[in-house]
Amino acid sequence: AGDDDAAAPSATDDTAPENEGFDYAGTVAALGEANYPEKRRIVSALASHPQAHTAELLAAFADNRLVARESDGKVFVAEENGNDYDLRDPITFEAAGRASTRDFDPVRTNIGLRQNIGAAQAQLKLSAEDAATRLAAVETMSEKLDDNAADAMRAHRPAETDEDVLEAIDRALAINDLNTGDNAAKLAAIERLSDDNSQMVYNRLKNMLILIPEDTADADQARLRAAAAEQVERIDWWRTVYDYLETLFFGLSLGSILVLAGIGLAITFGVMGVINMAHGELIMLGAYTAFVMQQLLPGHIGLALVLAVPAAFIVSGLVGILIERSIVQWLYGRPLETLLATFGVSLFLQQLVRSVFTPLNRSVASPEWMSGLIRFNDLFALTANRLVILAFSMAVFAALILVMQKTSLGLKVRAVSQNRDMARAMGIRTQRL
């Protein structure tokens, strides 16, 4: 082929210029006898000088599938097959036979090393065609930011075309400059990160304040410390604001559950004049209804939870009617005796649940759409399940207001709660109500 058709060396080609002079095979072979700091250096070196199967090698290392032969320390990728290993060459990934597991030692990893491997894998993905993959790679590398990761992003930046990826790279390089740059670079990095509230930026700025004495005579150092102190103060202020917001949200989400319970007590007492000491046990029956629904639909957690809402209303409502028809209707106008009777009902329902479901806790699983965090920024995130609880409570409360204000049933309930005898004289069937 002519010069115009000649292919340029790729990042995964062992003849590429960046790989010339690098002993790839020797670096891989050193994994067998290396300690953890050496393994971290080896991982970084492999990511900086990749070959065709480097990504597969790092994946095998992260999955604890690398072994070293006891006789000569040679490293292989191994798959367990009974008492044997099916071996592959770590350079070419060609089959290398089968051998007994007794002849090999695992190339061990720990949490820190696996983080390094993850960052190295992300570094390899910087050359992916998909911008979302490259952005995810930059974010992963930023979580374990070191000089090797910064050098890889700096080398990739001129070829990057996506604005979001460029923004993420510039942010990561600025964070790296907070530790490794000169005074001018650090000042520029602080300016670049002036609206960044992440924990990593905060920690590096705090570290800068520790390293630079408050009474330094160096003008550049004093200017750098003042800029860092200003940013730390700004982040602390926002942290305080978001802490208050989180506290407010948690209070609302917990209070919303009490609102639901309080609404029931208020209506029961207002309409019937009964202090229902078994009200909490009716809520308990609704909770166990949700548990039973998930047991009946084990493969559909979300659907079971949605169906549990009407089912819980039906179960608790039927039990409430049973309590009223069998006990409470004979005790109207005698509040003390009603209180004692419903207290006895509460003890009965508690023991009934213990007998049916055992005293052990029964958990109701949250579906995917109620799990995890909804993150608004680096300092503020809310749990999805509490948001759903708060929204559900507000929906129930709004529906109740509409029923009370806009329907015939609501009008009758308000009439009976205000004057039971007059409501009966107007033809309202107070017993049924």
Side-chain angles (χ1 to χ4, degrees):
D3 289 342
D4 291 341
D5 297 326
S10 68
T12 56
D13 187 350
D14 58 2
T15 63
E18 61 266 28
N19 290 334
E20 291 180 2
F22 177 69
D23 184 8
Y24 186 90
T27 303
V28 173
L31 279 171
E33 301 295 331
N35 56 32
Y36 284 114
E38 292 168 345
K39 288 176 181 175
R40 285 194 283 272
R41 287 193 289 271
I42 290 172
V43 167
S44 298
L46 293 177
S48 300
H49 304 83
Q51 290 191 5
H53 296 285
T54 301
E56 296 169 85
L57 175 63
L58 292 176
F61 195 9
D63 294 339
N64 295 312
R65 290 187 288 117
L66 291 189
V67 296
R69 191 159 54 198
E70 291 182 352
S71 59
D72 57 5
K74 183 173 174 57
V75 174
F76 293 91
V77 178
E79 298 286 350
E80 283 197 44
N81 189 344
N83 294 324
D84 296 331
Y85 281 136
D86 290 329
L87 303 174
R88 288 187 176 275
D89 185 275
I91 311 298
T92 64
F93 265 70
E94 294 178 353
R98 177 181 290 187
S100 172
T101 58
R102 293 192 301 270
D103 299 330
F104 295 85
D105 291 323
V107 180
R108 300 188 183 280
T109 62
N110 59 17
I111 294 176
L113 180 56
R114 282 194 289 274
Q115 290 176 341
N116 284 95
I117 295 171
Q121 290 173 313
Q123 183 175 331
L124 294 179
K125 293 179 181 177
L126 278 178
S127 57
E129 293 184 4
D130 181 40
T133 302
R134 299 197 301 274
L135 180 60
V138 173
E139 290 173 349
T140 301
M141 295 168 69
S142 299
E143 293 172 1
K144 190 69 176 178
L145 194 59
D146 55 19
D147 289 339
N148 290 322
D151 291 341
M153 286 188 279
R154 197 174 284 112
H156 172 75
R157 193 187 186 289
E160 183 55 60
T161 57
D162 186 83
E163 290 296 328
D164 290 337
V165 179
L166 284 171
E167 177 74 15
I169 290 176
D170 289 341
R171 174 183 177 274
L173 293 178
I175 293 174
N176 189 65
D177 284 342
L178 290 178
N179 273 10
T180 61
D182 55 21
N183 284 345
K186 289 179 178 178
L187 276 172
I190 293 175
E191 179 65 25
R192 165 68 180 77
L193 300 168
S194 60
D195 58 349
D196 193 310
N197 298 322
S198 67
Q199 185 65 41
M200 181 180 292
V201 171
Y202 183 79
N203 289 341
R204 298 205 175 195
L205 290 172
K206 290 284 284 187
N207 188 56
M208 191 180 296
L209 294 180
I210 295 173
L211 294 176
I212 302 176
E214 190 172 355
D215 57 350
T216 179
D218 189 314
D220 290 339
Q221 290 278 295
R223 198 159 49 247
L224 182 61
R225 193 182 197 285
E230 182 182 353
Q231 293 304 314
V232 168
E233 184 178 353
R234 179 188 62 80
I235 295 175
D236 282 335
W237 185 85
W238 278 111
R239 281 188 165 189
T240 302
V241 171
Y242 286 125
D243 283 345
Y244 280 124
L245 288 177
E246 285 188 357
T247 301
L248 176 63
F249 169 70
F250 288 141
L252 288 174
S253 63
L254 291 174
S256 65
I257 300 173
L258 299 179
V259 165
L260 290 180
I263 288 172
L265 282 172
I267 293 176
T268 305
F269 181 73
V271 176
M272 305 175 69
V274 171
I275 301 174
N276 182 14
M277 295 296 290
H279 187 71
E281 281 63 40
L282 297 181
I283 296 174
M284 173 191 70
L285 292 179
Y288 276 103
T289 302
F291 168 74
V292 171
M293 290 298 295
Q294 288 197 345
Q295 300 306 303
L296 295 176
L297 299 170
H300 306 279
I301 294 175
L303 176 62
L305 191 61
V306 172
L307 293 178
V309 174
F313 274 104
I314 293 171
V315 170
S316 296
L318 290 176
V319 173
I321 291 173
L322 179 63
I323 294 172
E324 198 276 338
R325 290 287 87 186
S326 60
I327 299 174
V328 174
Q329 71 164 332
W330 313 110
L331 300 175
Y332 284 128
R334 290 140 63 180
L336 181 59
E337 294 179 27
T338 306
L339 186 148
L340 292 174
T342 54
F343 179 69
V345 171
S346 75
L347 297 179
F348 170 78
L349 291 177
Q350 289 178 33
Q351 188 56 49
L352 178 64
V353 166
R354 289 193 187 100
S355 300
V356 174
F357 295 100
T358 77
L360 301 177
N361 288 338
R362 300 296 181 179
S363 60
V364 176
S366 294
E368 185 176 348
W369 46 271
M370 276 186 68
S371 303
L373 293 173
I374 298 176
R375 187 167 293 281
F376 295 90
N377 54 46
D378 292 316
L379 295 179
F380 188 53
L382 301 178
T383 53
N385 59 347
R386 290 186 181 276
L387 273 175
V388 172
I389 290 170
L390 181 58
F392 176 76
S393 300
M394 292 175 65
V396 172
F397 192 58
L400 181 65
I401 290 176
L402 288 175
V403 169
M404 288 296 184
Q405 299 294 330
K406 303 296 183 180
T407 68
S408 173
L409 173 64
L411 179 63
K412 292 175 182 177
V413 168
R414 286 183 288 132
V416 172
S417 64
Q418 291 175 21
N419 192 322
R420 188 184 190 91
D421 293 333
M422 182 59 70
R424 186 184 297 114
M426 296 296 295
I428 296 176
R429 302 176 64 175
T430 56
Q431 284 290 328
R432 174 171 293 185
L433 189 69

